[in-house]
Amino acid sequence: MFVNNNGTVHSANDPSIMAGSRAFLYGDGLFESIRIMHGKPINLSAHIQRLYKGAELLKIRIPLYLTQEVFEQKILELLEKSQISTGGRCRISLDRVHGGNYKPSSNEATYFIEVQAIEENDFLLNYKGLEVDVYRDIKISPNVLSPFKTKNGLTKVLAAISADELGLDDFILQNDKGNLIESTSCNLFIVSNGVLYTPGLQEGCLAGTMRMQIINIAIQNGIRVYECSVLPHNLLSADEVFLTNAISGIKWIGGYRTKRYMNNTARRLVMLLNAHWSKERSEEHTSELQSRQ
């Protein structure tokens, strides 16, 4: 595997993080996790737009040359050098350059890109449903940073550790009002009478790229979706509960305490999601052929 540290490509086994990194010292940065399918990054535009919006909020200045096209070129270069031609994942880190203490000496940006192969070339629904519960030790207060993937993830780290200690697959997090917002690494959807419900962004959840894609695909296929407050007792009346993120796509939940769930809607949405990206690849291939003529 290879990594790109601010324009320089290294072996992933070589040291490449500079001493005094503000991301390392202060968590002063953002990141995006991007799915690779058939050797190419998918939904890259949504990821880069969120990265840019987050950087603007953090007052990190991105150089004008660092466009979506440049990021795509550098990702493809790493995939080729790392011999990843099917499934994989990519992580882009965008940090403030080193220097200063809490007050930075500069607001310029530095970036780091890494890639990793995964077995699945398309999105697959998990065979066994996840077992979850609600995390009550720490509640999350919604704020302007909530929609973005910042490098302050201690609440989710502690929740993931606690879930593992209890033999659970994941915990669902609450905001300061007690409403459900997301799991440690995914957005949350519940299904009741064929209708999807997902916490609204005002509740404090991540503005997930896969969350938005599932909402759009559901609406395009006649499935109603509501962004709203979701309470713990809604889990008990739901027919299905599933989680979404950019890498896994959809993961269905099999049980919450003694409550058991089906996965019919989740299974249908995975099929629609794969069909969407298959169509995108076909149209891109046709466009490439036409441009060569």
Side-chain angles (χ1 to χ4, degrees):
M1 298 295 107
F2 290 84
V3 299
N4 185 316
N5 187 350
N6 211 41
T8 303
V9 176
H10 304 269
S11 167
N13 296 321
D14 295 339
S16 58
I17 301 297
M18 182 179 295
S21 162
R22 293 188 61 83
F24 177 75
L25 294 174
Y26 302 106
D28 189 4
L30 303 152
F31 72 95
E32 289 290 329
S33 299
I34 302 162
R35 178 64 185 260
I36 306 300
M37 295 178 71
H38 299 266
K40 293 185 178 181
I42 68 167
N43 210 16
L44 186 59
S45 176
H47 286 286
I48 298 301
Q49 287 179 25
R50 184 172 63 181
L51 192 67
Y52 288 167
K53 288 179 181 178
E56 182 179 2
L57 183 64
L58 294 185
K59 303 185 187 301
I60 296 176
R61 289 196 293 266
I62 301 176
L64 293 177
Y65 76 86
L66 206 52
T67 63
Q68 177 182 324
E69 291 72 23
V70 169
F71 272 124
E72 183 171 18
Q73 177 186 355
K74 294 183 183 301
I75 292 170
L76 292 173
E77 178 186 22
L78 287 183
L79 292 172
E80 183 177 0
K81 288 184 70 67
S82 301
Q83 299 182 5
I84 299 174
S85 58
T86 52
R89 61 188 298 162
C90 169
R91 178 180 167 120
I92 299 177
S93 292
L94 187 74
D95 308 318
R96 207 182 314 269
V97 296
H98 74 285
N101 297 307
Y102 282 109
K103 179 183 177 181
S105 58
S106 171
N107 288 319
E108 299 303 315
T110 182
Y111 67 88
F112 188 88
I113 308 173
E114 51 193 314
V115 295
Q116 177 185 354
I118 59 176
E119 292 183 5
E120 297 83 10
N121 202 21
D122 295 305
F123 292 112
L124 298 177
L125 192 66
N126 47 309
Y127 177 74
K128 181 181 178 182
L130 305 180
E131 296 294 325
V132 304
D133 206 332
V134 175
Y135 187 61
R136 302 184 187 278
D137 291 353
I138 304 174
K139 291 183 169 60
I140 297 175
S141 297
N143 59 68
V144 294
L145 296 175
S146 299
F148 305 101
K149 301 189 82 169
T150 69
K151 294 192 172 179
N152 179 8
L154 284 178
T155 297
K156 295 181 178 180
V157 169
L158 291 175
I161 292 172
S162 296
D164 186 62
E165 289 175 343
L166 293 172
L168 298 170
D169 295 298
D170 208 346
F171 260 131
I172 298 174
L173 309 180
Q174 296 176 286
N175 63 19
D176 51 7
K177 295 181 180 178
N179 298 340
L180 304 181
I181 52 174
E182 59 194 357
S183 79
T184 60
S185 61
C186 299
N187 285 111
L188 172 69
F189 286 82
I190 70 172
V191 185
S192 184
N193 295 320
V195 179
L196 299 188
Y197 300 88
T198 189
L201 297 184
Q202 74 279 0
E203 298 290 327
C205 66
L206 177 75
T209 58
M210 184 57 66
R211 171 188 180 273
M212 197 67 248
Q213 190 164 32
I214 292 302
I215 289 173
N216 290 335
I217 287 176
I219 292 172
Q220 291 165 7
N221 287 274
I223 302 172
R224 286 184 293 164
V225 184
Y226 292 98
E227 298 180 68
C228 57
S229 297
V230 178
L231 303 176
H233 69 77
N234 295 134
L235 294 175
L236 297 175
S237 59
D239 302 314
E240 297 182 44
V241 182
F242 62 85
L243 306 173
T244 66
N245 71 22
I247 304 301
S248 301
I250 296 173
K251 297 187 290 187
W252 71 286
I253 291 176
Y256 161 65
R257 300 182 180 177
T258 59
K259 173 72 177 182
R260 313 312 297 174
Y261 300 107
M262 305 291 286
N263 65 6
N264 297 328
T265 304
R267 189 173 299 279
R268 181 187 176 195
L269 286 169
V270 169
M271 295 175 60
L272 292 170
L273 184 61
N274 282 322
H276 169 81
W277 287 111
S278 177
K279 181 181 178 182
E280 287 285 322
R281 286 193 301 273
S282 177
E283 291 177 351
E284 182 181 350
H285 180 67
T286 301
S287 178
E288 288 177 354
L289 291 176
Q290 291 175 345
S291 65
R292 292 173 187 171
Q293 294 176 353

